[in-house]
Amino acid sequence: MSDSDSSLVPVVDVLRRGGVIAYPTEAVWGLGCDPDNEEALTRLLRLKRRDPAKGVILIAATIEQFAPWLEGLPADLHAPLVASWPGPNTWLVPDNGRTPSLVRGCHDKVALRVSDHPGVQALCRAFGGPLVSTSANRAGEAPAMSEVDIRRIFGDELDAVVPGALGGNPRPSTIRDLLSRETLRH
């Protein structure tokens, strides 16, 4: 997918109307929606059968797309983000009040990642901001690794499936807490 890929126009329309989509990421297929649309978030969590208390990750094409979420963050805490993005690094960043509760879950932090996957970057650029990113699976089951898996798991429950290839990472992103620097997932 490229920035000029006209096939993203219908997907962006679906997202803006509150739809839930599937798309390839760095390591697994993901489910996504507009993080500011409560109905879309509720539907995504229901499709996935995910406990809303767990929260979800937000992905972006650039660190600039996360500006509203990083507002008020001390300058010295930006360095680890800049040094590790784009890439397979998700950071738990203190919520500044910008994040909807269904994204955050029961946490006081929000999980953010600037993806290095060209398709994800093109999707976020076309949408004009971050998207929800959570593995495409039912809770407790293995994540989808192909478009065939997406169709098998979700049938016609999704509003769009973005074609493409996985990014080749052997496992999902590392998750670290920005304040403590603790690694929660390798």
Side-chain angles (χ1 to χ4, degrees), residues 31 44-51 54 134-143 153-154:
L31 294 180
L44 181 146
L45 294 170
R46 194 176 316 117
L47 282 169
K48 193 173 163 65
R49 299 181 189 146
R50 183 176 177 87
D51 179 354
K54 290 185 174 186
T134 184
S135 59
N137 61 312
R138 307 284 190 192
E141 296 179 7
I153 296 167
F154 295 104

Side-chain angles (χ1 to χ4, degrees), residues 61-142:
T62 65
I63 193 169
E64 290 79 16
Q65 288 189 327
F66 281 136
W69 286 266
L70 300 176
E71 190 174 304
L73 188 70
D76 62 314
L77 292 177
H78 285 253
L81 305 177
V82 171
S84 68
W85 286 341
N89 301 290
T90 298
W91 288 95
L92 300 178
V93 176
D95 179 42
N96 62 9
R98 165 66 180 84
T99 312
S101 62
L102 287 175
V103 170
R104 223 180 37 256
C106 67
H107 311 284
D108 61 356
K109 295 178 181 154
V110 58
L112 306 177
R113 179 173 82 249
V114 174
S115 177
D116 61 358
H117 187 282
V120 171
Q121 287 185 342
L123 185 59
C124 291
R125 279 194 296 269
F127 181 68
L131 292 169
V132 167
S133 184
T134 184
S135 59
N137 61 312
R138 307 284 190 192
E141 296 179 7

Side-chain angles (χ1 to χ4, degrees), residues 1-2 5-11 21-25 29-30 117-120 122-123 146-148 150-151 160-166:
M1 257 183 312
S2 69
D5 191 340
S6 61
S7 69
L8 291 179
V9 172
V11 174
I21 67 167
Y23 55 93
T25 71
W29 275 72
H117 187 282
V120 171
L123 185 59
S146 68
E147 196 170 332
V148 170
I150 291 294
R151 305 283 182 204
V161 176
V162 180
L166 295 176

